[in-house]
Structures are given as structure tokens and as C-alpha cells.
Amino acid sequence: MTNEERDIQRKLKVLQHAEKIGNVRKACRYFGIGRSSFYRWRDAYQKHGEAGLKNAKSIPKNLANQTPAEIVEKVLYLRRKYHLGPIRIVWYLARYHGIKISDAGVYRILKRNGLNRLPRGTRMR
């Protein structure tokens, strides 16, 4: 049984226990959950059945202020090809491509792609 199935079974137990004893407050206290969670689970169960009890991510799939893909590609190319650091990448993009991005933004892109550390043995210029 996976963690997801275990969570669904636990939520079903809470819902069934509340139905059996007829008191939501006591059932929530017995299982150590908040009533808002209980009511959210109950509404999802009534609308979608067991599929509604799955844990869903609460974040949007497309972030509004995400760095465009072409800028990310340029940053990664500069790091892989020339082993530039975040500040030099910012300088290069501003000078030759007219792209404004912060060094913290460049660092986050590099870290997200596992390139935040330069390879060992790379000489400083």
C-alpha cells in the first residue's frame, strides 16, 4: 500500500467515524485533525468519491513570473560552455543580448538545474 492509498484510507476512516458517532467535533479531536480539513475532505468525497481524497498540489502549474525558457537556455549555455559565474552571466546577457536579470535569478536557475557549483579543477580567471 502506497502513501497515497494510506492517506485516502485514513481520511475515509475519519469520515466514517464522524458519520457513525454523529459529532464532527469529537471525531476531529479523536483523530487530531482540524474541522476545516474534515469539511474540505467531506465536500471532496461527496463530489468526486475516493478520487477527491487524493493529495493534490496547491500550487499552479504555470507560474506567472517564471523566467522565460529562452533566457534559461542562454544562462545554462553560458555556464556549461564558458564556466561563467552568476554576476558575469548577468553582465554578458545585459551587454550582448539586452536581457536584464538579477544575479540571484541566475543563481536560482543554475541551482534548479544542478549547475550551481563549478566543476573541480576549474581555474579562476
Side-chain angles (χ1 to χ4, degrees):
M1 182 179 284
T2 65
N3 285 339
E4 188 173 295
E5 293 170 350
R6 232 178 272 127
D7 285 342
I8 292 172
Q9 293 302 320
R10 179 175 166 269
K11 291 174 185 178
L12 278 174
K13 278 185 188 177
V14 172
L15 294 174
Q16 291 167 353
H17 185 71
E19 182 83 25
K20 187 173 88 176
I21 65 171
N23 191 337
V24 173
R25 184 180 60 81
K26 286 183 180 178
C28 291
R29 183 165 232 188
Y30 179 78
F31 283 97
I33 63 163
R35 278 186 279 174
S36 60
S37 297
F38 172 83
Y39 288 117
R40 192 173 58 244
W41 296 346
R42 188 184 71 180
D43 293 342
Y45 184 68
Q46 288 173 349
K47 287 181 185 173
H48 306 289
E50 284 190 24
L53 296 178
K54 288 183 180 177
N55 290 333
K57 291 185 177 182
S58 60
I59 60 172
K61 293 187 179 187
N62 187 8
L63 301 175
N65 57 353
Q66 191 173 18
T67 308
E70 57 271 3
I71 294 176
V72 172
E73 289 174 23
K74 287 179 183 179
V75 167
L76 295 177
Y77 173 78
L78 290 171
R79 178 58 157 219
R80 288 186 181 122
K81 179 87 172 166
Y82 301 109
H83 299 293
L84 299 178
I87 294 172
R88 289 198 177 184
I89 291 174
V90 168
W91 173 82
Y92 185 90
L93 291 175
R95 182 167 183 180
Y96 296 112
H97 296 284
I99 296 171
K100 292 192 178 204
I101 186 171
S102 68
D103 57 336
V106 171
Y107 179 76
R108 280 193 297 272
I109 292 169
L110 295 174
K111 187 166 179 141
R112 194 179 316 129
N113 290 283
L115 295 173
N116 57 326
R117 302 286 301 195
L118 284 171
R120 291 188 95 182
T122 306
R123 289 184 169 196
M124 295 294 290
R125 294 182 195 180

